[in-house]
Amino acid sequence: TSAFLSQKPKSELVRTSLRLLTSSAYRLQSECTKTLPVEACPTTDIQLVTQQVIQCAYDIAKAAKQLVTITTKENNN
């Protein structure tokens, strides 16, 4: 039982990282779509969209780093 309990937080960290990765990827796609000529409207604030794209990319990198760190630790144990 103690081995199971010690692994559960790792699994939760993996789930949390995967949720962040997935939600950020969807947000990134949505923000990038706003810049396409077909989707863009005259009131589109490109500076705001750019900031959102940067934030999404940062969140994706953060989630990916978390997953690498977690899996590296798990593989070394």
Side-chain angles (χ1 to χ4, degrees):
T1 305
S2 63
F4 173 74
L5 292 175
S6 68
Q7 289 181 359
K8 187 172 179 175
K10 291 180 185 176
S11 297
E12 182 58 36
L13 287 173
V14 169
R15 284 193 295 273
T16 300
S17 295
L18 288 173
R19 278 193 296 268
L20 177 61
L21 189 61
T22 304
S23 64
S24 298
Y26 281 119
R27 280 183 47 225
L28 180 61
Q29 182 182 19
S30 173
E31 294 299 331
C32 288
T33 301
K34 293 177 186 176
T35 65
L36 297 175
V38 176
E39 299 290 330
C41 63
T43 59
T44 300
D45 184 347
I46 295 300
Q47 187 174 8
L48 177 61
V49 172
T50 301
Q51 290 172 352
Q52 292 299 321
V53 167
I54 291 168
Q55 183 61 50
C56 293
Y58 173 82
D59 289 341
I60 289 169
K62 179 180 172 183
K65 182 180 178 188
Q66 288 172 352
L67 287 172
V68 168
T69 301
I70 292 164
T71 55
T72 301
K73 286 181 182 178
E74 287 179 352
N75 290 338
N76 287 336
N77 290 336

